[in-house]
Amino acid sequence: MNGLFHTARELTVTALPVEFEALAPPPLLLPGEHLEHYHALRQAIFADLAPRSAIEWLLAIDVAELSWEIQRYRVLRHKLLETYRQKAIAAALRHIDMVGIDPDVEEQAEYYTLQNALSWRIDPLAATEIDARLASYGFDAHAINTEVYVQAREILVLFEGLLNAAQTKRMLLLREIRNQRFAGPMRRPR
């Protein structure tokens, strides 16, 4: 996912206690994700939260897992937008190249339109040429971006829901850690 990060201050070493190892297995990684990135994120969260009790450790583990999911959702959303951008380029090329086309060659023209959109995605020279051609017909970056969001709107709503749910859960867990810390001294008998 993302590369390792460095902080301005040195992270406190807060290792997961052995008795909690079974409760915090590493996530199933998707292609492009790296276990060391997960461990670095988890370690940073543990160092920042500095869990002091079993309950806090369990909550911190959940915060780390939710943070990983949030990062994953963001990366996947960006990749999704790249895919839909290629589809938007294809749609714009259809508006230019397929107007008034003979129905007998429509299938072949559609094939070439999709190939041009793929070339736009993988070949920088082709992308420059196609962008210039689209711009000459009034399809600037804003028009393409609009098409991307129109085509991807339903799946973007899904990702927004996933992100919001995970962020809400994470905030609730952080609040619960705070509550555990403030409630702890109040529960002790005098």
Side-chain angles (χ1 to χ4, degrees):
M1 282 190 359
N2 295 326
L4 294 175
F5 54 90
H6 303 283
T7 60
R9 64 180 174 83
E10 193 64 36
L11 291 176
T12 305
V13 178
T14 308
L16 183 65
V18 175
E19 59 269 23
F20 295 120
E21 286 289 337
L23 300 174
L28 176 64
L29 297 175
L30 297 176
E33 295 179 342
H34 303 283
L35 188 57
E36 60 271 10
H37 295 170
Y38 171 77
H39 285 297
L41 175 67
R42 187 175 80 170
Q43 183 59 36
I45 289 169
F46 290 171
D48 197 41
L49 295 178
R52 296 184 251 173
S53 69
I55 294 295
E56 285 185 15
W57 271 108
L58 293 172
L59 294 169
I61 290 167
D62 288 345
V63 169
E65 289 177 4
L66 284 166
S67 297
W68 182 257
E69 284 183 35
I70 289 167
Q71 285 301 106
R72 176 182 280 167
Y73 294 153
R74 288 177 179 156
V75 169
L76 293 175
R77 183 180 58 191
H78 292 159
K79 292 298 179 187
L80 177 79
L81 288 174
E82 287 177 16
T83 300
Y84 275 94
R85 188 158 195 81
Q86 179 181 337
K87 290 179 180 185
I89 294 293
L93 288 171
R94 267 189 220 93
H95 288 300
I96 296 169
D97 296 338
M98 297 186 68
V99 173
I101 195 163
D102 183 353
D104 294 336
V105 294
E106 192 172 318
E107 189 175 313
Q108 187 176 11
E110 174 66 15
Y111 171 80
Y112 285 114
T113 298
L114 294 175
Q115 289 301 309
N116 285 336
L118 177 61
S119 295
W120 171 88
R121 185 172 181 180
I122 61 175
D123 180 0
L125 181 59
T128 301
E129 292 172 1
I130 291 170
D131 286 341
R133 187 158 164 259
L134 290 173
S136 72
Y137 282 88
F139 291 97
D140 63 1
H142 297 296
I144 299 299
N145 289 341
T146 301
E147 182 67 23
V148 168
Y149 280 93
V150 165
Q151 287 187 19
R153 69 187 172 276
E154 289 178 20
I155 194 86
L156 287 174
V157 168
L158 170 72
F159 272 99
E160 191 66 26
L162 291 169
L163 278 164
N164 286 340
Q167 288 170 336
T168 299
K169 286 179 191 175
R170 184 170 62 180
M171 291 305 299
L172 290 171
L173 290 169
L174 292 170
R175 189 174 297 139
E176 183 59 28
I177 290 171
R178 187 191 70 214
N179 291 343
Q180 287 288 319
R181 288 189 179 162
F182 288 123
M186 292 178 183
R187 286 190 212 152
R188 292 188 189 120
R190 293 181 185 197

